[in-house]
């Protein structure tokens, strides 16, 4: 009996090992295909970025009188209005107040400042375009800067599903009106809210005083 049991156990072990081996062998082509796909995807992205950077370089070349600066984050920018007297720039924990407009690389307006409205942005705490998030942090108060963003730090391969198409580089012109610590901004909001409530209460009192009573109506 013991011998039979040993033989049965050995047979089961061989069957299990064979099944596992076949299962592993069946998965290998998937891994290889996946690796090839990823490699091709990386190569496509590299070519796309290189093409867009060439287009941006052509824009800068057309404007030799404008000084452009290269960012380590993968975009270029130029100052339309520069503030050389201040040194502070927005950082995480600040609230930035800005306006911006978007153009294509030919200078055609996609969205105006009016369409995009004035922005209140909690630095590094809200989801916005990657390039814009990084660009704002190098600006000083009252500066106006034009950024040239490749698509991978703008709206990427899907665009915005409206006016901005897939893989579209952008010129983003930003005016930083002000920025302040978030704690200060919250306190200001609370004060304004309190003032508004006081104003509403005063108006109600004035209305109640000027509103004629039933006795006044009878006398009339």
């Amino acid at each position: 009996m013991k011998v039979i049991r040993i033989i049965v156990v050995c047979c089961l072990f061989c069957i299990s090992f064979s099944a596992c081996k076949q299962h592993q062998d069946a998965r290998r082509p998937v891994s290889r295909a996946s690796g090839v796909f990823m490699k091709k995807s990386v190569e496509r992205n590299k070519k796309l970025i290189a093409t867009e950077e060439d287009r941006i370089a052509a824009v800068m070349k057309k404007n030799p009188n404008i000084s452009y600066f290269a960012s380590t984050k993968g975009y270029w920018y130029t100052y339309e209005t520069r503030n050389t007297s201040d040194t502070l720039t927005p950082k995480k924990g600040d609230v930035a107040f800005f306006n911006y407009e978007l153009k294509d690389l030919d200078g055609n307006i996609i969205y105006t400042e009016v369409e995009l409205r004035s922005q209140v942005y909690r630095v590094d705490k809200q989801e916005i375009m990657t390039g814009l998030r990084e660009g704002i942090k190098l600006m000083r108060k009252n500066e106006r800067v034009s950024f040239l963003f490749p698509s991978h730090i703008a709206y990427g391969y899907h665009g915005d599903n409206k006016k901005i198409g897939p893989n579209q580089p952008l010129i983003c012109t930003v005016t930083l009106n002000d920025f302040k610590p978030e704690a200060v901004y919250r306190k200001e909001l609370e004060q304004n809210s309190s003032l508004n409530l006081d104003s509403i209460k005063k108006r109600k009192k004035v209305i109640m005083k000027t509103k004629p009573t039933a006795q006044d109506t009878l006398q009339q």
Side-chain angles (χ1 to χ4, degrees), residues 111-185:
Y111 290 111
T112 66
E113 286 189 3
V114 175
E115 288 177 289
L116 296 171
R117 304 181 199 179
S118 297
Q119 301 290 311
V120 179
Y121 166 58
R122 287 167 175 79
V123 179
D124 283 346
K125 291 186 177 181
Q126 287 178 253
E127 287 295 323
I128 60 171
M129 190 197 326
T130 302
L132 187 55
R133 184 179 71 226
E134 297 299 333
I136 282 174
K137 288 187 287 188
L138 64 78
M139 294 181 68
R140 299 178 178 89
K141 192 192 299 185
N142 296 322
E143 284 188 333
R144 184 173 173 84
V145 177
S146 281
F147 298 94
L148 283 72
F149 294 140
S151 66
H152 69 277
I153 55 172
Y155 286 87
Y157 68 90
H158 53 74
D160 73 341
N161 298 318
K162 294 177 183 176
K163 295 183 180 181
I164 298 171
N167 301 318
Q168 183 169 356
L170 297 171
I171 298 173
C172 179
T173 303
V174 183
T175 303
L176 181 61
N177 302 309
D178 197 6
F179 63 91
K180 60 189 68 174
E182 192 170 358
V184 173
Y185 177 61

Side-chain angles (χ1 to χ4, degrees), residues 75 110 121 149 185 192 204:
Y75 60 84
I110 301 171
Y121 166 58
F149 294 140
Y185 177 61
N192 289 336
K204 284 183 177 179

Side-chain angles (χ1 to χ4, degrees), residues 21-40:
K21 192 172 186 305
Q22 286 176 1
H23 183 64
Q24 288 174 354
D25 288 343
R27 291 179 61 86
R28 282 178 188 170
V30 177
S31 299
R32 286 173 185 165
S34 177
V36 170
F37 174 80
M38 288 298 294
K39 195 171 183 181
K40 286 183 178 178

Side-chain angles (χ1 to χ4, degrees), residues 8-26:
V8 169
V9 169
C10 290
C11 288
L12 289 171
F13 177 78
C14 291
I15 291 167
S16 298
F17 179 79
S18 176
C20 289
K21 192 172 186 305
Q22 286 176 1
H23 183 64
Q24 288 174 354
D25 288 343

Side-chain angles (χ1 to χ4, degrees), residues 88-103:
L88 295 177
T89 57
K91 61 184 183 301
K92 187 174 183 178
D94 287 340
V95 179
F97 307 88
F98 68 94
N99 294 84
Y100 73 116
E101 69 176 13
L102 295 174
K103 301 176 183 176

